[in-house]
Amino acid sequence: MPVAFTKRKLESMVSGQLLEVVGEGELEFDNVQRWVKNNGHMVVEASKSGAEFKILIKNADCINFPNSYYQKF
């Protein structure tokens, strides 16, 4: 489900905005990052602490856009 939620949220965001995805599980951690890269978005940061993970994603089409937009998911 994290991939589906991430996809929906990114579709509603402006290019260049940042999205922080927080979740649990090794498989979800890998799947979200893979989906992000395969769909032209950018993983800015990815970290794990125990079972929990955080992934910071920059929405596509404007990779050099200033980091003035940030949304937490």
Side-chain angles (χ1 to χ4, degrees), residues 1-12 19 21 73:
M1 288 299 274
V3 171
F5 291 130
T6 301
K7 178 182 184 288
R8 274 190 243 134
K9 189 63 179 178
L10 286 170
E11 288 173 346
S12 72
L19 173 68
V21 177
F73 174 60

Side-chain angles (χ1 to χ4, degrees), residues 25-42:
E26 184 71 31
L27 184 61
E28 288 81 2
F29 181 70
D30 294 338
N31 285 345
V32 170
Q33 290 184 84
R34 185 178 313 107
W35 183 88
V36 166
K37 292 174 185 175
N38 287 344
N39 286 276
H41 304 287
M42 180 180 172

Side-chain angles (χ1 to χ4, degrees), residues 10-25:
L10 286 170
E11 288 173 346
S12 72
M13 294 170 59
V14 175
S15 292
Q17 280 188 299
L18 297 175
L19 173 68
E20 182 179 46
V21 177
V22 178
E24 292 184 354

